Amino acid sequence: MKALIFAAGKGTRLKPFTDHHPKALAKVNDVPLLERNIHYLKNFGIKDFVINIHHFGSQIVDFLNKNDNFGCRIEISDETEELLETGGGLIFARRFLDHGEDFLIMNADILTNININALVEYHKKIKDFATLAVSDRESSRKLLFNDDMVLRGWLNVQTGEQRLAEFNKGFKALAFSGVHCINPVIFEKIKRTGKFSIMEEYLDLMQTEHIHGFVHQDILIDVGRPESVIEAEKYFK
């Protein structure tokens, strides 16, 4: 299985580090996030990667070359000309991923110990085109699922704003974990082009398609702010 790691973002919340470096190379206990996530996914047998780059992208390429790609096959989806966000980034990387086999997507600034094998097994069992890892944790935005764990809405916890596929019948509100398992048929379903968030597309597609959530209770830290680096260092040695 291939994995697409989103490493293109500007990482503005991690300033001043990201004034001169890509956020994917921010270190937790002296190990860059990107290196940690490559090793994490290698533990589940994944050795074939696509990494998208934009902000200080050449530093990521140099880092990978210096480390011989950590013994993996790595292709670079180069968004130097325009940062395309998660949805646009996925479409831009289509040539690397649209080969008939499921693939994984992971944000470079997420650190977790989710059991990837369990996620993939669940994804293959339900035969969706997209399965989203989610957990019950604090977050300003939540995804809403029915009793069958099918995506039915989105909630802004702070403002109360909702986007719903149907009346909210006590849906479960869970936070997206930045890890998803995808079938390449998604490329035929996505309508947007250019720069867009994949979550916007999911919220459109939930009107007509089944998108399931995979619930986990594992550690998950969004290493997007300097204080979250300190938190991550408690769990990831």
Side-chain angles (χ1 to χ4, degrees):
M1 177 176 277
K2 271 192 176 183
L4 168 61
I5 299 180
F6 285 135
K10 292 183 178 178
T12 52
R13 295 177 301 157
L14 263 181
K15 284 176 174 282
F17 177 83
T18 48
D19 287 335
H20 305 285
H21 308 280
K23 66 177 178 180
L25 296 187
K27 293 181 179 179
V28 169
N29 285 322
D30 288 327
V31 181
L33 294 172
L34 183 60
E35 180 177 346
R36 284 184 174 278
N37 279 323
I38 288 172
H39 286 306
Y40 161 63
L41 293 174
K42 274 183 77 176
N43 287 335
F44 295 98
I46 296 173
K47 295 183 180 179
D48 203 349
F49 293 89
V50 180
I51 298 173
N52 78 339
I53 60 170
H54 172 82
H55 186 64
F56 293 109
S58 62
Q59 290 186 30
I60 291 176
V61 173
D62 291 345
F63 174 72
L64 292 169
N65 288 338
K66 180 181 166 187
N67 290 281
D68 295 321
N69 288 344
F70 298 99
C72 299
R73 180 172 183 261
I74 297 180
E75 296 166 303
I76 298 295
S77 185
D78 191 344
E79 297 177 26
T80 300
E81 290 187 10
E82 183 185 11
L83 181 60
L84 296 168
E85 295 189 23
T86 51
L90 172 59
I91 295 297
F92 192 71
R94 178 174 183 171
R95 66 190 183 279
F96 301 117
L97 301 164
D98 193 4
H99 304 301
E101 294 182 355
D102 293 328
F103 57 91
L104 199 76
I105 300 178
M106 183 172 186
N107 296 348
D109 56 355
I110 291 291
L111 287 183
T112 184
N113 61 346
I114 293 170
N115 184 331
I116 295 298
N117 289 343
L119 167 62
V120 171
E121 190 178 314
Y122 177 76
H123 170 78
K124 289 181 181 295
K125 180 176 145 191
I126 57 177
K127 296 182 169 63
D128 274 355
F129 67 90
T131 303
L132 317 183
V134 291
S135 66
D136 185 7
R137 65 182 195 278
E138 280 191 27
S139 176
S140 59
R141 294 171 179 82
K142 297 281 184 83
L143 297 177
L144 304 175
F145 296 88
N146 65 15
D147 290 343
D148 295 321
M149 284 306 298
V150 175
L151 180 65
R152 303 314 284 149
W154 171 91
L155 168 69
N156 184 318
V157 175
Q158 294 166 333
T159 66
E161 178 192 356
Q162 295 185 55
R163 280 183 62 179
L164 297 171
E166 60 181 301
F167 178 72
N168 188 340
K169 300 171 283 197
F171 294 146
K172 299 184 191 78
L174 298 164
F176 178 47
S177 299
V179 181
H180 18 168
C181 197
I182 306 293
N183 185 286
V185 72
I186 195 172
F187 292 115
E188 307 302 328
K189 297 179 183 294
I190 290 176
K191 303 293 190 293
R192 287 177 174 79
T193 57
K195 179 179 180 177
F196 65 96
S197 163
I198 190 61
M199 192 53 66
E200 286 297 314
E201 196 69 30
Y202 287 154
L203 294 176
D204 282 352
L205 288 168
M206 73 178 176
Q207 304 287 344
T208 55
E209 307 277 354
H210 277 191
I211 299 170
H212 277 78
F214 169 82
V215 183
H216 68 92
Q217 278 88 39
D218 308 276
I219 297 167
L220 187 132
I221 299 173
D222 174 359
V223 191
R225 305 176 311 281
E227 57 268 30
S228 57
V229 172
I230 296 166
E231 184 187 0
E233 288 187 334
K234 297 176 193 171
Y235 298 98
F236 296 92
K237 301 301 182 185

